[in-house]
Structures are given as C-alpha cells and as structure tokens.
Amino acid sequence: MNQKIIIAIDGYSSSGKSTLAKAISKKFKYKYIDSGSLYRTIALIAIRKKIFDSDLWNIRNFIPILKEMSLKFKWNQKSNQIDIFLNGENIQQKIRSEQVENKVSLIAQIPEIREKLTLMQRNIGKNKGIVIDGRDIGNYVFPKSELKIFMKGSIEIRSYRRYLDLKKRGEEVSYEEVRKNLIHRDIMDISRNISPLKKSVDSIEIDNTFLSIEEQLNLIFKFIKNKRKK
Ligand code: C5P
C-alpha cells in the first residue's frame, strides 16, 4: 500500500536540499514546499520597507507592517511548487537575490515570524503527501514526519554551487562573497535560540560533497519506498 507520508529535508544552506526535494516530488507526485522561500519573502518585505536602514528595525514596528501585506500562495502545476504573490506580484525570482540572502537569517531569528510561518507550513502540509525542505522541519515543524533527511557538504562545494546558480540568474557576485554569505548564514542558523538548524537523531544524514545527484536519489528512493509500504 502506498501510504502518503511527510518527507522532511533539513540541512545547511546550498547543500542540495531543493534539488533532492524537487526530484522526490516529481517521482512520487508529492507537493514540494520550500520553507526558505517564506522566510525570504518576509526579508524582501523588510528590505522594500527599508526596515534595516531605519529606526523601524525593531519587531514591534515591523509586525504591524506585515499585517498590511497580502500574501497569497498558488500551486504552480508545472513546477509542482507554490508561487508566492505579494500584493498581487509574483516574487518567486526576486526572493532569490543576493540582497535578500544577506538579510534573511536576521529575519529568521524573530520568534513571532517563525511562529506564523510554522503555522502556515503545518497548514499546507496537513494532508501529507509532501516533501518540505528547510532548517527546522524534522525537529520542529513536522517532528512526526515519516522520513527525515539531513544534508551537508563542504563549504567549498556549497559556495561554488551557489555561485554558479546566482551567476546563471545574472547576479554580479564573486565566489568569495557567496562563501562569506553561506558561512554567515550557517552560523546564524545553527546558533539562534529558537528552532536552530540541528540534525535530528532520527534523520538520515547525507554528505554530498562527493556524491552525484543520481547517487543521492538512488539511496533516498529506496528509503522512501520502504517507508510508504509500512
Ligand atoms: O533554504 P533557503 O536558503 O532558501 O533559506 C533561506 C534562509 O531562511 C536560511 O538561511 C534560514 O536563515 C531561513 N530558514 C529558516 N528555517 C527554515 C527555512 C529557512 O530559518 N525552515
């Protein structure tokens, strides 16, 4: 019997979580939820509202600003992913910029924001049949998920992958800038007080520094097939 399960993929920035998650969602016809895109959306709003350049950079003033925003999610059948609309504008590409990456971990530290985004993710995933990637999914958002994967890779390989990705999108960045940003985000994600990035005891760890995507997928597909039979 093919039971619907929740597959949680956590790990370091640019460790290949979304590549793996997208391949799993395609193979098993599961919905893919990229939880980082929610935190990126809030960071984009904060940048646009010039929160970081002003005295408004405190939570008491930022939260009411968020309440004025209209955030809508639509399943994009083609990409099998949610597209995020901010006041009617599709911001899918804009949240991938280097500018957003430089601020998102600051936003991800705010308890009120984590609380709201956690509820949103639980709501989206309530019927199971999802693969969701992030930092706190296996430990906090869906602690009972049937399969938990934890991804890591050397800082050099992760920076290089991210650098190529940003270049492909036309961003003017150097490898060194990308490397610094990843180190900064790793530190912020590991050391924050609430729901920090941490491998859960019941997760399968994949270090993909020297693994091809095919090798990772072969390994994971076997685990998923076993879990769905139970
Ligand atoms: O996964 P992605 O790199 O898009 O995530 C962007 C940032 O959002 C991370 O660096 C992290 O600070 C934050 N994040 C988080 N919890 C999640 C997903 C992302 O704190 N579940």
Side-chain angles (χ1 to χ4, degrees):
M1 176 175 125
N2 275 343
Q3 208 188 309
K4 275 191 176 175
I5 63 170
I6 293 181
I7 301 166
I9 307 183
D10 288 303
Y12 290 88
S13 294
S14 295
S15 56
K17 300 184 294 293
S18 68
T19 307
L20 195 63
K22 280 179 194 161
I24 294 172
S25 78
K26 198 165 163 207
K27 166 116 179 155
F28 295 96
K29 300 201 167 46
Y30 270 28
K31 282 178 177 163
Y32 167 47
I33 300 162
D34 163 12
S35 68
S37 67
L38 303 175
Y39 290 91
R40 286 169 180 263
T41 298
I42 309 296
L44 180 72
I45 297 173
I47 292 167
R48 286 185 173 178
K49 291 284 173 190
K50 302 200 187 319
I51 293 297
F52 299 104
D53 326 342
S54 74
D55 297 345
L56 283 182
W57 178 228
N58 71 56
I59 301 152
R60 228 177 323 141
N61 289 326
F62 183 45
I63 301 292
I65 289 179
L66 282 180
K67 287 190 183 137
E68 292 163 15
M69 302 282 149
S70 142
L71 266 192
K72 294 232 158 64
F73 306 104
K74 274 194 204 147
W75 285 106
N76 180 329
Q77 299 242 324
K78 217 165 136 205
S79 63
N80 198 28
Q81 221 176 315
I82 43 173
D83 279 343
I84 305 179
F85 291 83
L86 173 61
N87 297 332
E89 173 194 2
N90 186 333
I91 52 163
Q92 217 53 34
Q93 293 304 320
K94 302 206 171 87
I95 55 173
R96 302 278 141 208
S97 71
E98 203 212 354
Q99 202 192 11
V100 167
E101 291 198 338
N102 286 335
K103 297 292 182 204
V104 64
S105 297
L106 274 176
I107 290 295
Q109 310 238 324
I110 303 173
E112 288 88 342
I113 289 177
R114 297 207 73 84
E115 218 173 278
K116 282 210 163 48
L117 297 186
T118 297
L119 287 179
M120 250 179 216
Q121 293 164 67
R122 288 185 182 148
N123 195 34
I124 300 173
K126 64 179 185 284
N127 296 325
K128 299 202 173 188
I130 58 158
V131 48
I132 170 164
D133 70 11
R135 306 292 187 290
D136 59 344
I137 311 299
N139 271 326
Y140 188 65
V141 182
F142 290 112
K144 291 191 180 145
S145 43
E146 289 80 357
L147 181 64
K148 298 179 187 178
I149 301 166
F150 189 85
M151 311 271 298
K152 61 193 232 185
S154 74
I155 183 68
E156 288 76 18
I157 193 86
R158 290 189 289 126
S159 307
Y160 188 60
R161 282 187 203 133
R162 189 69 196 134
Y163 167 74
L164 292 182
D165 206 34
L166 286 166
K167 279 284 190 196
K168 230 198 276 172
R169 292 171 199 271
E171 295 260 342
E172 284 294 318
V173 279
S174 67
Y175 168 80
E176 207 35 52
E177 279 167 339
V178 175
R179 187 171 179 275
K180 272 194 196 140
N181 173 265
L182 284 194
I183 292 172
H184 170 73
R185 283 204 282 149
D186 284 352
I187 293 172
M188 301 270 277
D189 289 342
I190 297 165
S191 58
R192 70 170 164 249
N193 286 335
I194 52 162
S195 43
L197 169 66
K198 192 169 170 242
K199 180 181 172 320
S200 63
V201 282
D202 50 351
S203 62
I204 300 163
E205 182 176 297
I206 299 181
D207 181 333
N208 61 15
T209 309
F210 302 111
L211 281 185
S212 69
I213 294 184
E214 287 71 32
E215 285 169 320
Q216 295 170 57
L217 287 177
N218 285 340
L219 186 76
I220 287 305
F221 286 169
K222 278 188 203 143
F223 276 107
I224 298 174
K225 281 181 183 149
N226 272 338
K227 291 277 178 188
R228 290 170 91 213
K229 276 188 210 142
K230 283 180 188 163

